[in-house]
Amino acid sequence: MSLPASKKKILIVIMDGLGDRGCKELGGLTPLQATDTPNLDWFTKNGISGTCDTVDIGVCPGSDTSHLSILGYDPLEVYTGRGPFEAAGIGLIGRKGDVAFRCNFSTCDDNLNVTDRRAGRIDKPDTTELVKALAGIKINGIEAVVKEGTEHRAALILRGNGLSAEVTDADAHDVGPLRLSKGKVPEAEFTAMVLNEFVRETHKRLKDHPVNKRRAAEGLPPANILLPRGAGSFPNIQSFPEKYRMKAACVAGVGMIKGICGVCGLDVIDLPEDCTGGVNSNFISKAKAVMKTLEKYDFVLMNIKAPDVCGHDGDPNLKCSVIQRLDEMAGYFKDNFRDDMVIVFTADHSTPCSLGDHSADPVPITIYTPGNVKDVAAVFSESGCAQGRIGRIRGIHIIPICLDLAGRTEKFGA
Amino acid sequence: MSLPASKKKILIVIMDGLGDRGCKELGGLTPLQATDTPNLDWFTKNGISGTCDTVDIGVCPGSDTSHLSILGYDPLEVYTGRGPFEAAGIGLIGRKGDVAFRCNFSTCDDNLNVTDRRAGRIDKPDTTELVKALAGIKINGIEAVVKEGTEHRAALILRGNGLSAEVTDADAHDVGPLRLSKGKVPEAEFTAMVLNEFVRETHKRLKDHPVNKRRAAEGLPPANILLPRGAGSFPNIQSFPEKYRMKAACVAGVGMIKGICGVCGLDVIDLPEDCTGGVNSNFISKAKAVMKTLEKYDFVLMNIKAPDVCGHDGDPNLKCSVIQRLDEMAGYFKDNFRDDMVIVFTADHSTPCSLGDHSADPVPITIYTPGNVKDVAAVFSESGCAQGRIGRIRGIHIIPICLDLAGRTEKFGA
């Protein structure tokens, strides 16, 4: 008898930077070990658990590479450098064939000598005004699209036929004469020429801009040139909804995560204002948005940035208090659980407070859906989850495991 | 001091479809968790244990792909489709260069219009008689070999020079005019021509066959044409005995398993009649046949189909009673253990009763041989074995681990 396969929905809850190492301030425990988490533990007790190297064993992941992995794209194969993902991270999502660059708003003199690579760390709203003046640049049939990021940062996409990412930076990474871009291969000469022409055009358009006149009057360095670096092609990846035949959405507060998910073809959901992407974010409000999104979608990736911020700040006590609020959020998911749902609790990487930065330590993972095996793991922590039957997996394994539990896998063979 | 290495024999006991998920009927336990298995547990307590994804993490295996994996052949590399393995499964074991097809005995009219693709679900012994009439067909130097399967099913092997599996089905998968095969690439035109000629020849030989005359008299549709589909080349794999330098045999009741093992070059052992391949099979009788086979062979793969049948039937209580009898069989192996033997207890895949079909859930594995490490795993189950030191492995890892424990591995390096 073959029972009718009912397809379940999948929710992956990524508690950003959650993994940690022993903290002196916590008597050698990790923040997860030191915090009482009855709701997360409930999922661990009733589900299957393990540890996960989101990219690979001993590889220290960025937020971009780890999220790609968790979405089932091996970054060792598809990651084409920071350019495209930083661009996507500030909302500039390109398509196959586009070449993306990270840029700085910089200061130069009339002879194009760079005098300040960060234009006095100019920020919004000035950069937003300046970007407007760069709209519609087109050089030899190639469109240039610019968007401002945080502080002096911006992103550039070149779009058109015959482009190549094999060009050097139009940025000397130091003050001094403007460094022109060159093609690393003959096919890239055209792109380098377009890029250099673009840089000159930004100076033409920005040097007498009202924002810069005002800045000069205030004794601030004008942001009168844009310097692109880190060329990268948008990766040629099959979109997530097509690859896994699921309608998919992303619920995240942070630009880069929204960007990665956008590049992978997930719909990015607008959030209430109290979902800030910071430590003060309202996790319950975000969880409500997730459950609402799940009504219309087969798959949701949820990212909560707060624990990562605590790790970068090196503040284990703050991380413990964030974890306590994350556990309340897990309680919300428990109380509002849909039986037609597979839920995953994990992190994109560890951000040990003692390091103040990411590490390659594997992260805990618990997967729960009604009617599955229970294993012996009983505590959601770096060591507790390691007791479970998932063992040690890579990030790219998460989706295949969930698809099977969701009744969405086809048999290989007979 | 390097002691002389004595080579051990290897026995892999595959309890087909043994893995499961929590069953409502068993209070949320799996059949393995719900059944007392002192003998299997003895092996777990005294051996090493873990979990195994027979094909790969998150891949839902067929019985063919999983057995290939367990025999050390990565199906992601060597699996060439169902044709060759279905043919092998009904005892038609081809060799490199052969192209195999699944076929239906069908009914057509005098103008080769197909009117019933299953010829009224004709079965043995009629099909056995009809196949005799198809012996010795040879077209442009290509031999055609046909064998009947269950009901209206049969398999065809084309053998000779210049064949290709890149041909479309000679089967419209519907009633109506005969659909001829075409080459998908120019090199396959010859094969398509031979295949179409073969189909016409089957009609010539079958249309006035006494079996069909009798069927017509009884008002049953005649099986007067054979329609081939699902072309696949026999995989180009090194034979198991050559690859691992072991004399190897298969003790199984089910055609497909015998077929896979036959394709890999294992000797297929004839079994007593009480080894049925079904739920009612006599496992002790089969274990005796295994121990007798081990006297003459270095390697035996044993398959017991019964737990899979219970999973497909969605019957957890039946699965528990089968597991109890499997444990008695494990007791027989314990009592009749050869010290020069490595024994493996595992499954080819999970067949959760709640699904009634295969799943990608990893299966438990215990490996025992005297003088090896004991680990902390103490219960042979989905969760119990996960405590052990084997960790989470793939099916293709089983043979290398066993070869090493059997003193059959050569050092890599100095």
Side-chain angles (χ1 to χ4, degrees):
Chain A
M1 184 185 64
S2 186
L3 298 170
S6 60
K7 290 180 181 174
K8 292 187 178 180
K9 295 170 185 281
I10 299 169
L11 167 60
I12 302 187
V13 180
I14 299 177
M15 295 172 279
D16 205 302
L18 182 68
D20 214 299
R21 295 179 180 169
C23 299
K24 270 187 200 170
E25 300 89 333
L26 305 173
L29 298 176
T30 69
L32 262 177
Q33 289 174 324
T35 310
D36 191 29
T37 54
N39 294 303
L40 286 164
D41 294 353
W42 183 90
F43 283 106
T44 303
K45 278 191 195 99
N46 289 283
I48 54 174
S49 300
T51 60
C52 178
D53 300 281
T54 47
V55 176
D56 208 345
I57 294 180
V59 176
C60 177
S63 285
D64 44 8
T65 50
S66 62
H67 276 77
L68 277 173
S69 290
I70 292 169
L71 288 170
Y73 300 93
D74 192 339
L76 302 172
E77 288 167 17
V78 307
Y79 188 65
T80 49
R82 292 179 61 171
F85 295 101
E86 290 228 358
I90 60 174
L92 201 54
I93 295 173
R95 42 188 197 234
K96 191 186 154 187
D98 291 353
V99 176
F101 300 83
R102 308 160 66 195
C103 300
N104 274 9
F105 276 100
S106 307
T107 308
C108 69
D109 63 19
D110 289 344
N111 299 318
L112 299 185
N113 275 301
V114 177
T115 54
D116 182 343
R117 277 188 73 241
R118 298 185 183 87
R121 289 199 180 268
I122 186 174
D123 207 339
K124 295 171 189 167
D126 281 0
T127 51
T128 307
E129 279 309 300
L130 293 172
V131 157
K132 284 181 191 164
L134 301 176
I137 296 181
K138 198 162 185 174
I139 298 157
N140 285 50
I142 303 297
E143 277 178 74
V145 186
V146 180
K147 194 163 185 212
E148 72 282 15
T150 53
E151 296 187 323
H152 54 280
R153 299 179 193 91
L156 161 68
I157 281 180
L158 294 183
R159 177 171 293 160
N161 291 326
L163 290 171
S164 162
E166 294 296 310
V167 293
T168 63
D169 297 346
D171 180 351
H173 295 262
D174 202 352
V175 295
L178 174 65
R179 169 82 54 89
L180 290 178
S181 171
K182 288 178 189 165
K184 296 179 192 172
V185 293
E187 308 86 81
E189 298 291 355
F190 172 69
T191 307
M193 182 276 289
V194 169
L195 189 66
N196 293 327
E197 194 50 46
F198 166 81
V199 171
R200 288 190 199 98
E201 180 68 21
T202 65
H203 182 59
K204 272 187 214 157
R205 293 189 180 203
L206 298 180
K207 61 182 178 174
D208 301 320
H209 193 283
V211 164
N212 280 328
K213 287 190 172 168
R214 196 209 73 229
R215 287 178 67 84
E218 290 169 0
L220 293 170
N224 58 11
I225 195 165
L226 210 62
L227 301 183
R229 65 183 191 278
S233 301
F234 268 84
N236 181 15
I237 53 180
Q238 194 184 10
S239 89
F240 186 94
E242 205 180 294
K243 187 172 179 178
Y244 299 112
R245 279 172 287 176
M246 292 192 289
K247 200 175 169 212
C250 154
V251 174
V254 174
M256 185 195 261
I257 308 302
K258 295 197 254 188
I260 303 272
C261 290
V263 169
C264 295
L266 281 72
D267 290 344
V268 176
I269 304 299
D270 288 327
L271 289 173
E273 278 195 6
D274 59 351
C275 302
T276 61
V279 171
N280 62 348
S281 186
N282 183 338
F283 304 156
I284 300 288
S285 169
K286 200 166 197 170
K288 282 181 186 167
V290 163
M291 292 308 294
K292 200 174 163 207
T293 305
L294 269 178
E295 288 171 16
K296 292 193 183 164
Y297 286 84
D298 304 314
F299 175 91
V300 173
L301 180 145
M302 178 193 200
N303 175 287
I304 306 117
K305 185 70 177 169
D308 185 53
V309 175
C310 306
H312 281 287
D313 287 352
D315 190 337
N317 288 306
L318 185 62
K319 200 164 180 177
C320 289
S321 74
V322 162
I323 288 169
Q324 198 151 22
R325 286 165 51 219
L326 288 171
D327 189 65
E328 285 162 21
M329 177 193 75
Y332 178 86
F333 284 125
K334 186 168 140 252
D335 295 341
N336 294 276
F337 201 81
R338 300 173 60 118
D339 272 355
D340 67 340
M341 174 174 159
V342 177
I343 193 167
V344 180
F345 291 97
T346 191
D348 54 347
H349 52 74
S350 300
T351 309
C353 294
S354 58
L355 285 189
D357 208 342
H358 301 187
S359 75
D361 299 293
V363 295
I365 181 167
T366 282
I367 305 179
Y368 170 74
T369 194
N372 193 17
V373 179
K374 294 177 191 184
D375 62 27
V376 302
V379 177
F380 186 83
S381 72
E382 296 85 350
S383 54
C385 285
Q387 301 298 304
R389 80 185 287 257
I390 289 180
R392 184 169 187 162
I393 58 171
R394 289 180 61 195
I396 53 167
H397 295 136
I398 296 175
I399 296 271
I401 291 172
C402 290
L403 287 173
D404 185 61
L405 292 173
R408 294 176 179 270
T409 302
E410 277 176 33
K411 200 186 288 181
F412 173 49
Chain B
M1 185 183 65
S2 183
L3 298 171
S6 62
K7 290 180 181 174
K8 292 187 179 182
K9 294 169 184 284
I10 299 169
L11 167 60
I12 302 187
V13 180
I14 299 176
M15 296 172 279
D16 206 303
L18 182 68
D20 214 299
R21 295 179 180 170
C23 298
K24 270 187 199 167
E25 301 88 334
L26 306 174
L29 298 177
T30 69
L32 262 178
Q33 289 173 326
T35 310
D36 191 29
T37 54
N39 294 303
L40 286 165
D41 294 352
W42 184 90
F43 284 106
T44 302
K45 278 190 195 99
N46 289 283
I48 55 175
S49 298
T51 61
C52 178
D53 300 282
T54 48
V55 176
D56 206 347
I57 295 180
V59 176
C60 177
S63 286
D64 45 8
T65 50
S66 60
H67 276 78
L68 277 173
S69 289
I70 291 171
L71 288 170
Y73 301 94
D74 192 339
L76 302 171
E77 289 167 16
V78 307
Y79 188 64
T80 49
R82 291 179 62 169
F85 295 102
E86 290 228 358
I90 59 172
L92 201 55
I93 296 173
R95 42 189 198 235
K96 189 187 156 188
D98 291 354
V99 176
F101 300 82
R102 308 159 66 194
C103 300
N104 274 9
F105 276 100
S106 307
T107 308
C108 70
D109 63 21
D110 289 343
N111 298 318
L112 300 185
N113 276 303
V114 177
T115 53
D116 183 344
R117 275 189 74 242
R118 297 184 184 87
R121 289 202 180 264
I122 187 173
D123 207 339
K124 294 169 189 169
D126 281 0
T127 51
T128 307
E129 279 308 301
L130 293 172
V131 157
K132 285 181 191 165
L134 301 176
I137 297 180
K138 198 161 184 173
I139 297 156
N140 284 49
I142 302 297
E143 277 177 75
V145 187
V146 180
K147 195 164 181 208
E148 73 281 15
T150 53
E151 294 187 325
H152 54 280
R153 299 179 192 91
L156 161 69
I157 281 179
L158 296 182
R159 177 171 293 161
N161 291 325
L163 290 171
S164 162
E166 294 295 313
V167 293
T168 64
D169 298 345
D171 181 351
H173 296 262
D174 202 351
V175 295
L178 173 66
R179 169 83 53 91
L180 291 178
S181 171
K182 288 177 190 165
K184 297 179 190 170
V185 294
E187 309 84 83
E189 298 290 355
F190 172 70
T191 307
M193 182 276 289
V194 169
L195 189 66
N196 293 329
E197 194 50 45
F198 167 80
V199 171
R200 289 189 199 97
E201 181 68 23
T202 63
H203 182 58
K204 272 186 214 160
R205 293 189 180 202
L206 298 179
K207 61 180 176 173
D208 300 319
H209 193 284
V211 164
N212 280 328
K213 287 193 169 165
R214 197 209 73 229
R215 287 178 67 85
E218 290 169 358
L220 294 170
N224 58 10
I225 195 164
L226 209 63
L227 301 183
R229 67 182 191 277
S233 301
F234 268 84
N236 181 14
I237 53 180
Q238 194 184 10
S239 89
F240 186 93
E242 204 180 295
K243 188 172 179 180
Y244 298 113
R245 281 173 286 176
M246 292 192 290
K247 201 176 168 210
C250 155
V251 174
V254 173
M256 185 194 262
I257 308 301
K258 294 197 257 189
I260 302 274
C261 289
V263 169
C264 294
L266 280 73
D267 290 344
V268 176
I269 304 299
D270 287 327
L271 288 174
E273 279 196 2
D274 60 351
C275 300
T276 61
V279 172
N280 63 348
S281 188
N282 184 338
F283 305 155
I284 301 288
S285 168
K286 201 167 195 170
K288 284 181 185 167
V290 162
M291 292 310 292
K292 200 174 161 203
T293 306
L294 269 178
E295 290 170 15
K296 294 191 184 168
Y297 285 84
D298 304 314
F299 175 90
V300 173
L301 180 147
M302 179 192 198
N303 174 285
I304 306 117
K305 185 70 178 170
D308 186 53
V309 176
C310 307
H312 281 287
D313 287 350
D315 190 338
N317 289 306
L318 186 61
K319 201 164 179 177
C320 289
S321 73
V322 162
I323 288 169
Q324 198 152 20
R325 288 165 50 220
L326 288 171
D327 190 64
E328 287 161 18
M329 177 193 75
Y332 177 86
F333 284 125
K334 185 168 142 253
D335 295 341
N336 295 275
F337 202 80
R338 299 173 60 118
D339 272 355
D340 68 339
M341 174 174 161
V342 177
I343 193 166
V344 180
F345 292 97
T346 191
D348 54 346
H349 53 76
S350 300
T351 308
C353 293
S354 59
L355 284 188
D357 209 341
H358 302 187
S359 76
D361 299 293
V363 296
I365 181 168
T366 282
I367 305 180
Y368 171 72
T369 195
N372 193 16
V373 180
K374 293 179 192 184
D375 62 27
V376 302
V379 176
F380 186 83
S381 73
E382 295 85 352
S383 54
C385 285
Q387 300 299 300
R389 80 187 288 258
I390 290 180
R392 184 169 189 161
I393 59 171
R394 289 182 60 195
I396 53 167
H397 297 136
I398 296 175
I399 297 272
I401 291 172
C402 291
L403 288 173
D404 186 59
L405 292 173
R408 293 175 180 272
T409 304
E410 279 176 32
K411 198 185 290 176
F412 173 51

